Amino acid sequence: MDEDRLSVTFAALADPTRRAILARLSEGEATVKELSAPFAMSGPAISKHLRVLEQAGLISRGREAQWRPCRLEPGPLRDVAAFAERYRRFWDESYARLDAYLQFVQDDIEEPRDE
């Protein structure tokens, strides 16, 4: 996984409109008109968001007669998941230490130590 590619993917995912577009495309292909329906923005603004997603490799646009469907491309999202997975052990260990500490505090409250 190329780190620069990952940066491009994260930059594309940073915008809530683009994330909403990806969420819609996770349900299946859609036209630009269908993708723009929930947003109060101009066609050129939606097209700009689609261009950013396409340049990041997150979507592709096809051509079927006069219909130009957009579709989700899973590769870059797999790269993001792989990146985040590297930190799972850290999170799991941190939560385990927190659980142990909370249990210690709870036990101490229930049975105070004699000093």
Side-chain angles (χ1 to χ4, degrees):
M1 162 181 31
D2 182 40
E3 289 300 319
D4 287 338
R5 196 75 189 143
L6 191 58
S7 295
V8 171
T9 302
F10 276 121
L13 293 173
D15 186 275
T17 300
R18 292 193 285 267
R19 291 193 306 270
I21 290 170
L22 291 176
R24 166 53 187 90
L25 290 174
S26 71
E27 299 169 6
E29 294 181 352
T31 64
V32 174
K33 183 177 180 181
E34 292 168 335
L35 292 172
S36 65
F39 305 105
M41 61 178 66
S42 68
I46 289 292
S47 291
K48 184 176 178 182
H49 284 296
L50 293 175
R51 247 188 326 277
V52 170
L53 291 170
E54 193 170 23
Q55 289 169 347
L58 289 161
I59 69 166
S60 61
R61 294 195 234 193
R63 181 176 291 232
E64 297 174 17
Q66 294 191 347
W67 189 54
R68 294 197 47 137
C70 296
R71 69 183 57 83
L72 183 65
E73 295 295 336
L77 293 175
R78 276 193 290 260
D79 293 343
V80 168
F83 172 81
E85 184 62 31
R86 287 187 269 178
Y87 298 94
R88 178 184 296 276
R89 192 169 114 204
F90 168 76
W91 296 330
D92 289 345
E93 290 172 359
S94 295
Y95 289 135
R97 285 192 305 273
L98 179 59
D99 285 342
Y101 177 73
L102 292 174
Q103 187 61 51
F104 171 78
V105 170
Q106 183 66 34
D107 291 346
D108 197 41
I109 289 171
E110 290 173 0
E111 297 178 26
R113 290 181 271 165
D114 292 329
E115 295 184 27

